Amino acid sequence: MIDERQVGKRKLNYEQAEAGAKRFLKRVGFPDMSVISYNEADNLLSLNFVHKEGEVLVYPQTLTVKVALDNGSIVGLQAADYVFNFHETVKGTPKLSEAQARKYVSPHLKIQKTNLAYIYGEDTKEALCYEFLGTIGKDQYRVFINVQNGNEEYVEKITKADISSI
């Protein structure tokens, strides 16, 4: 879905736009979504969401909502990843505690937040992981550690605008 209308002068802040996007998602049948990142350009806020099942972020089920910051209207929705990667339920339970998994993360990473997350690892297989959000110097990272064996499944360097208060 896209509405390519001309967006006027910014009148809304981030919190107002996020709240409007969440109301829209709930109304159109995408409940239990959490913001994982955002980007703002040309008075449009693009919010990237993942499905949240209990306390687990299900990264294969992502979607993006674009909110016009002039009046809060939804001008875009991209939900193909959510639809094509739908999971009935997250598989597995952690064998490692969060503290045990943390030992597999570089000691240089200053961890700011930890979540349980379901992802496709670099080998394209599904994996339940601990997601560690943090910084090394001025750079921000997401590090995914497998809850079963401590393997590092994926590392992502992110820009400051991309990190969100999940």
Side-chain angles (χ1 to χ4, degrees):
M1 174 193 109
I2 191 162
D3 177 1
E4 294 185 12
R5 74 170 179 83
Q6 188 71 16
V7 177
K9 185 178 174 184
R10 178 189 180 128
K11 295 178 184 172
L12 302 177
N13 62 30
Y14 173 89
E15 289 79 16
Q16 292 167 316
E18 179 183 353
K22 286 182 176 180
R23 281 190 305 272
F24 168 78
L25 289 174
K26 189 173 182 180
R27 189 177 75 238
V28 297
F30 294 101
D32 304 318
M33 301 299 290
S34 293
V35 175
I36 57 161
S37 63
Y38 67 93
N39 187 20
E40 185 180 330
D42 301 324
N43 292 329
L44 291 170
L45 184 66
S46 295
L47 296 154
N48 299 309
F49 288 85
V50 296
H51 177 70
K52 191 168 186 180
E53 186 178 308
E55 294 302 313
V56 180
L57 298 174
V58 183
Y59 273 89
Q61 291 177 237
T62 61
L63 55 81
T64 302
V65 177
K66 278 191 176 184
V67 181
L69 295 174
D70 58 355
N71 66 6
S73 66
I74 305 302
V75 295
L77 172 65
Q78 196 286 59
D81 287 343
Y82 183 97
V83 172
F84 293 118
N85 293 310
F86 185 78
H87 285 77
E88 287 296 323
T89 187
V90 171
K91 300 172 192 133
T93 55
K95 285 186 181 176
L96 300 175
S97 69
E98 180 183 322
Q100 290 169 316
R102 191 178 288 249
K103 293 176 184 175
Y104 292 96
V105 177
S106 168
H108 301 291
L109 184 73
K110 292 181 182 172
I111 298 169
Q112 299 166 325
K113 187 154 180 90
T114 304
N115 299 296
L116 273 174
Y118 199 63
I119 68 167
Y120 289 126
E122 289 192 12
D123 62 1
T124 69
K125 292 183 180 175
E126 298 172 348
L128 183 59
C129 298
Y130 288 104
E131 171 192 34
F132 295 96
L133 295 160
T135 59
I136 297 176
K138 293 183 181 186
D139 296 322
Q140 296 180 313
Y141 295 89
R142 282 189 175 103
V143 178
F144 295 92
I145 302 295
N146 190 302
V147 301
Q148 303 303 322
N149 54 29
N151 288 345
E152 183 179 272
E153 293 288 337
Y154 188 72
V155 175
E156 175 185 23
K157 183 177 179 183
I158 52 180
T159 63
K160 187 167 180 122
D162 285 339
I163 198 162
S164 146
S165 57
I166 308 173

